[in-house]
Amino acid sequence: MELIRKNIWSEIDNGKILDFAIDYKKFLAKGITERAVVSMLEAEAKDKGFVDITSLDSLKLGQGFYLNHRSKSFFMGVVNEELRLGLKLLGAHIDSPRLDLKQQPIYEEEGMALFKTHYYGGIKKYQWVTMPLCLEGVIYRKDGSRLEISIGRGENDPVFTITDLLPHLAADQMDKKAGKVIEGEKLNVLIGSIPLVEGKKDPSVKKGILTYLNKEYGLIEEDFLRAELEILPNLPPKDVGFDRSMIGGYGQDDRICAYSIMKGFFDCENKNRNLLACFFDKEEIGSNGDTGAQSRVLEYLLEMLIAKTGMKATSLEVFFKSKGLSADVSAVEDPSYEGVFDKYNRGRLGFGPIVSKYSGSRGKYDANDTSAEFLAYVMGVLDKSKVMYQFGELGKVDLGGGGTIASYLSQLGIEIVDMGTGLLSMHSPFEVASKADLYMTYLAYKGFLEN
Ligand code: MN
Ligand code: MN
């Protein structure tokens, strides 16, 4: 108990903390979309000798397995004992707030070509203008061929941007409420300005861009109907502060927890339990869809595990005996915005991952609200693992709130609590995390699996 609420920098070898963040920064730079994270996780899993569960007729005890679910969510684990004894489970999400291209995105006005977007997840729209942006995702041509798009992050790549009004002409705009300063339909991305001249037809910038896309990638306009393309901040992750104690970067919600799970899972010693690491898509839009935590993908995986190990159990029996951490970020007190947290129940930067008994809003509505029994269990495990952590609640009562995958996994029967790294500027293009909190989050997840 004496380990709770201490500044980690004063307690732990600072060199270890700073070193741990080096590879995380690379992961964050590369894992810019949920699809990119799944590819990286699959490559890591294969490298460690894990096999695709769908390719196996039978699964042996101790054999690491993985499931790449439609390139957008990912699961890996190992069965070491009877499944009916349950799983130790860690779950994060790998989607992040962003701008998606609409299905018919390209248009032209005033000699400029632009993309229409529809934002994904909870963003402050005014944060997304006047900065370099990149384009990432997949698109299918009519012949069925698949094209992966990644434009903007290469050294010689062009970037894209969303313009804003000059202050000289912004008197009306500046009188608007922050939620209306930049409206959703104004999040239009500038993509070109050279018109194509064709005989007697009017010169067209849109045609100029389509001609370029056709020559360069073999695309036609219709192909955008068969696409999932994301507009993302083109800001490589950076050390923040003179002392380099923090990391700034896009998508740390929730890739900081996803990374900590991945490392904790692979580094876990004493793998004598049934372990499962889950990386879900779609959390930022309510965990919906076929790749989100509300889908039945975990049941699907469990039924495969039961069938392929030949063990006697039902997926429900397994879930009801399982214990998990919902590994999602929380918020830490921002000194410039005092007063949004209850000062006795707030998360603090550098004090370790934050345990939240419940999330939800307006009277715990939609919350998982973990039991005292399970908190006692988790705290026992964390203390045994010598992890420094803190308890925190996301903001003052009735000020807002939010949900995580915890409530959906708990509905399956899994005992679960939220525990994750605290962020500053959450959901912004440049979220900030403490390297000490990252390191301790990793130790917490590793310790949870081991003890
Ligand atoms: Mn999250
Ligand atoms: Mn989020």
Side-chain angles (χ1 to χ4, degrees):
M1 193 65 189
E2 74 278 4
L3 287 177
I4 293 181
R5 284 200 169 255
K6 278 192 182 166
N7 193 316
I8 293 164
W9 293 104
S10 319
E11 305 288 322
I12 300 265
D13 174 7
N14 287 190
K16 263 190 192 167
I17 295 173
L18 295 169
D19 282 352
F20 186 79
I22 295 171
D23 280 347
Y24 168 60
K25 252 189 324 185
K26 291 180 195 155
F27 178 90
L28 193 60
K30 209 169 159 199
I32 194 162
T33 63
E34 59 279 20
R35 287 173 187 270
V37 175
V38 167
S39 301
M40 290 161 69
L41 291 169
E42 183 167 10
E44 288 278 337
K46 275 185 178 164
D47 195 50
K48 297 274 192 305
F50 284 55
V51 291
D52 181 349
I53 182 79
T54 63
S55 72
L56 291 175
D57 291 329
S58 66
L59 179 70
K60 291 196 182 73
L61 288 189
Q63 168 67 59
F65 64 85
Y66 71 83
L67 173 67
N68 175 339
H69 181 51
R70 298 180 181 160
S71 307
K72 291 167 70 170
S73 59
F74 190 83
F75 306 85
M76 59 184 175
V78 56
V79 177
N80 282 310
E81 56 182 356
E82 281 298 325
L83 276 165
R84 74 165 86 89
L85 296 171
L87 308 162
K88 276 252 177 155
L89 173 151
L90 298 169
H93 68 91
I94 51 176
D95 62 319
S96 295
R98 60 181 190 248
L99 308 178
D100 285 339
L101 289 200
K102 292 192 186 187
Q103 294 322 107
Q104 301 172 91
I106 310 176
Y107 72 102
E108 168 177 9
E109 263 173 40
E110 293 298 322
M112 288 169 254
L114 300 105
F115 276 148
K116 296 295 299 179
T117 66
H118 195 135
Y119 67 99
Y120 172 102
I123 61 166
K124 288 165 128 180
K125 299 178 195 90
Y126 67 79
Q127 292 176 336
W128 290 70
V129 299
T130 65
M131 63 183 298
L133 300 166
C134 54
L135 178 68
E136 304 282 333
V138 294
I139 184 163
Y140 281 85
R141 302 182 191 92
K142 196 166 191 161
D143 64 6
S145 59
R146 180 180 198 270
L147 178 67
E148 282 189 31
I149 297 261
S150 175
I151 304 170
R153 291 187 296 146
E155 209 184 326
N156 295 313
D157 284 7
V159 300
F160 309 96
T161 195
I162 297 169
T163 56
D164 192 9
L165 202 51
L166 60 168
H168 317 65
L169 298 178
D172 288 349
Q173 185 194 30
M174 298 307 281
D175 281 342
K176 289 182 183 170
K177 284 190 170 175
K180 297 269 180 192
V181 168
I182 303 289
E183 295 191 62
E185 286 294 352
K186 290 205 164 55
L187 292 170
N188 302 318
V189 183
L190 191 56
I191 58 167
S193 65
I194 303 179
L196 180 77
V197 184
E198 277 181 313
K200 285 185 181 159
K201 288 187 203 161
D202 284 342
S204 164
V205 179
K206 176 175 169 176
K207 277 194 182 149
I209 294 298
L210 286 171
T211 304
Y212 168 80
L213 290 173
N214 190 263
K215 270 193 191 148
E216 193 71 23
Y217 303 107
L219 293 175
I220 57 172
E221 188 173 9
E222 184 194 290
D223 295 337
F224 283 89
L225 298 170
R226 287 180 285 264
E228 281 188 301
L229 292 167
E230 307 179 4
I231 292 285
L232 304 169
N234 201 348
L235 304 170
K238 288 279 188 188
D239 289 341
V240 173
F242 289 114
D243 57 8
R244 297 179 178 265
S245 59
M246 297 162 282
I247 297 165
Y250 165 73
Q252 300 204 68
D253 175 6
D254 184 30
R255 292 167 195 148
I256 193 165
C257 295
Y259 180 79
S260 301
I261 289 183
M262 180 188 82
K263 294 292 280 184
F265 179 83
F266 286 135
D267 292 353
C268 163
E269 291 156 25
N270 143 47
K271 280 197 178 90
N272 54 7
R273 291 238 174 72
N274 300 324
L275 308 178
L276 186 65
C278 311
F279 306 86
F280 286 102
D281 181 28
K282 296 270 191 286
E283 192 276 343
E284 295 293 356
I285 56 168
S287 294
N288 293 295
D290 59 330
T291 49
Q294 292 203 65
S295 77
R296 298 179 69 178
V297 61
L298 274 187
E299 282 167 83
Y300 167 68
L301 174 58
L302 249 293
E303 288 189 9
M304 265 196 291
L305 293 179
I306 291 163
K308 294 185 182 197
T309 54
M311 288 180 180
K312 263 203 173 144
T314 66
S315 53
L316 266 188
E317 274 177 329
V318 182
F319 288 137
F320 273 67
K321 288 286 181 194
S322 294
K323 293 179 164 57
L325 294 179
S326 162
D328 204 346
V329 296
S330 188
V332 289
E333 167 107 36
D334 183 332
S336 301
Y337 296 93
E338 268 180 272
V340 298
F341 286 93
D342 163 13
K343 68 177 175 180
Y344 304 109
N345 287 279
R346 74 196 194 283
R348 298 176 70 188
L349 190 78
F351 283 64
I354 299 166
V355 177
S356 301
K357 180 179 185 291
Y358 46 84
S359 55
S361 53
R362 293 173 305 282
K364 300 190 178 182
Y365 205 86
D366 282 333
N368 157 48
D369 207 5
T370 311
S371 69
E373 288 79 2
F374 190 60
L375 284 173
Y377 167 80
V378 169
M379 290 175 71
V381 169
L382 293 173
D383 290 344
K384 210 170 150 193
S385 317
K386 304 228 177 329
V387 170
M388 297 170 69
Y389 63 101
Q390 54 183 328
F391 269 68
E393 180 166 331
L394 188 70
K396 278 185 175 163
V397 177
D398 286 343
L399 207 60
T404 64
I405 61 169
S407 51
Y408 307 115
L409 299 191
S410 65
Q411 283 166 24
L412 293 171
I414 301 167
E415 285 187 283
I416 195 162
V417 68
D418 278 298
M419 181 176 202
T421 324
L423 296 183
L424 293 164
S425 303
M426 194 201 291
H427 282 205
S428 79
F430 197 71
E431 301 173 314
V432 175
S434 158
K435 290 182 182 177
D437 292 337
L438 163 68
Y439 181 61
M440 204 45 80
T441 303
Y442 151 74
L443 290 181
Y445 297 164
K446 180 169 171 282
F448 181 77
L449 297 180
E450 285 173 348
N451 291 292

